[in-house]
Amino acid sequence: MKLQQLRYIVEIERQGLNVSEAAEVLYTSQPGVSKQIKLLEDELGIAIFERSGKRFTGITEPGRVVIDIARRILREAENLKRASGEFSSGDSGKLVLAATHTQARYALPTVVRDFVARHPRVKLEMHQGNPVQIADWVASGEADFGIATESLGEHPQLVSFPVQQWSHCVIAPAGHAILASQPLALQELARWPLITYDAAFTGRSRINRAFERLEIEPNIALTALDADVIKTYVSLGLGLGIIAKLAFDPQRDAGLVAIDAGHLFESNTTRLAVRRGSYLRRFDYDFIELFAPHLNKRVVEMTLQGGGEAWQL
């Protein structure tokens, strides 16, 4: 039995039983993957995959057990590398962050600056994506940490930590009639074209729920993946924007005015997630505490040992 065989069966499941795509991800050939799967099945004495001719059509009941165990073995093999690397290389290594644009652009810059100053020998990589992509990257081991508002708390392979709560604001061009509507009401907001986040992003589900509760149909004229794009189109007069409050800066966003919308939409919680069972290095703990000072090493370790989500803010 080889670790590579275990990687093959885990990746095949991840690719929806598509052996060709699994082979491409693993930089090998489809026949080679198929051969190794057959050798593993012969050694274990069970069929892992259901077949129709040469195609995999499903996962057998014992196959699901084998894949779950294989996933744990591969995770522990990776933990061995991380642990040995920490002791052999000292304060060096690589830390991969996956974050949404809002977090990468507005919440993380000072944290990254301070981390790099503290750990100059650690190579830092940042991947940007939507919350679903971020959760998948962390679950698969492609990223060490995921930072987002949506998706991370519900993923079964992740342990998530609440970092901070935030609210939305409505942005409008200076002089817009909506600025006279105080306090702002959803009924008034629904009269105007709205520009906000794509459905997968930054608390969009809470925006939708607020309108649904009052049975109001908002006029969503445009959706975008990040606040900077939303602000650009608001500046062009195409509608009012609904963005994360932390993404608005009066000096940087000259010509726009923000109206607090905390009373209209539920508050949101930024979460930091790690893969369940991951070994965290010293500089991993440092990054977490820089980003969320209440999440010191002791608190993180207790949460990881419990295997669930940290307390609510």
Side-chain angles (χ1 to χ4, degrees):
M1 188 184 303
K2 302 174 183 177
L3 285 178
Q4 193 65 13
Q5 293 171 327
L6 304 184
R7 291 190 182 95
Y8 290 167
I9 62 175
V10 168
E11 190 61 38
I12 287 170
E13 183 208 30
R14 189 162 171 256
Q15 297 298 332
L17 305 182
N18 189 313
V19 180
S20 296
E21 291 186 7
E24 185 174 344
V25 169
L26 295 165
Y27 302 102
T28 188
S29 66
Q30 180 178 342
V33 170
S34 299
K35 178 182 178 181
Q36 289 301 319
I37 298 299
K38 185 64 170 62
L39 289 172
L40 179 60
E41 289 178 322
D42 289 346
E43 181 176 352
L44 296 176
I46 61 168
I48 297 172
F49 297 102
E50 297 170 352
R51 292 168 169 82
S52 176
K54 294 184 178 180
R55 292 178 58 250
F56 291 161
T57 58
I59 301 172
T60 66
E61 183 178 352
R64 294 194 179 280
V65 175
V66 169
I67 290 173
D68 285 343
I69 295 172
R71 192 178 288 113
R72 294 200 298 271
I73 292 171
L74 292 172
R75 185 165 59 236
E76 290 302 329
E78 181 61 30
N79 284 341
L80 279 174
K81 291 181 182 179
R82 290 165 68 93
S84 61
E86 178 176 32
F87 289 102
S88 63
S89 303
D91 189 19
S92 64
K94 182 169 75 171
L95 177 59
V96 182
L97 308 176
T100 60
H101 173 273
T102 297
Q103 296 299 323
R105 173 68 177 83
Y106 299 103
L108 285 171
T110 57
V111 176
V112 169
R113 179 200 64 197
D114 294 345
F115 179 83
V116 169
R118 185 179 297 184
H119 299 281
R121 296 176 62 207
V122 175
K123 180 181 178 182
L124 195 63
E125 291 185 8
M126 187 177 297
H127 301 167
Q128 286 183 231
N130 66 48
V132 174
Q133 289 174 319
I134 290 167
D136 288 342
W137 289 335
V138 178
S140 68
E142 294 177 59
D144 298 304
F145 297 144
I147 301 170
T149 297
E150 308 275 4
S151 298
L152 300 185
E154 294 80 35
H155 200 293
Q157 296 181 43
L158 304 182
V159 180
S160 71
F161 304 85
V163 174
Q164 64 179 22
Q165 288 188 313
W166 58 268
S167 60
H168 286 97
C169 67
V170 173
I171 56 171
H176 194 285
I178 195 75
L179 300 176
S181 300
Q182 298 294 333
L184 184 61
L186 284 176
Q187 292 86 345
E188 176 65 19
L189 197 57
R191 293 180 54 235
W192 303 92
L194 301 177
I195 306 170
T196 191
Y197 298 103
D198 180 78
F201 278 82
T202 320
R204 174 62 190 276
S205 60
R206 287 170 168 76
I207 295 173
N208 293 346
R209 281 201 297 270
F211 285 106
E212 288 167 1
R213 277 196 296 268
L214 296 182
E215 298 182 347
I216 298 172
E217 184 68 31
N219 177 14
I220 305 295
L222 181 66
T223 61
L225 302 183
D226 64 70
D228 290 341
V229 173
I230 293 171
K231 288 184 285 189
T232 296
Y233 287 101
V234 172
S235 297
L236 293 175
L238 298 184
L240 302 174
I242 304 176
I243 64 171
K245 194 173 181 179
L246 77 162
F248 183 81
D249 183 321
Q251 294 183 329
R252 184 179 57 239
D253 299 320
L256 297 176
V257 179
I259 310 170
D260 182 72
H263 63 294
L264 299 181
F265 309 113
E266 298 172 63
S267 63
N268 303 269
T269 302
T270 298
R271 299 180 186 278
L272 181 146
V274 301
R275 185 169 59 168
R276 193 179 300 278
S278 290
Y279 175 85
L280 297 184
R281 300 154 294 189
R282 286 187 291 268
F283 60 75
D284 292 327
Y285 284 109
D286 281 352
F287 180 88
I288 293 173
E289 192 165 0
L290 280 171
F291 187 46
H294 63 285
L295 295 176
N296 57 44
K297 182 177 180 180
R298 175 178 165 275
V299 170
V300 172
E301 285 181 337
M302 288 176 60
T303 305
L304 291 175
Q305 289 167 8
E309 181 182 307
W311 68 93
Q312 294 294 324
L313 290 173

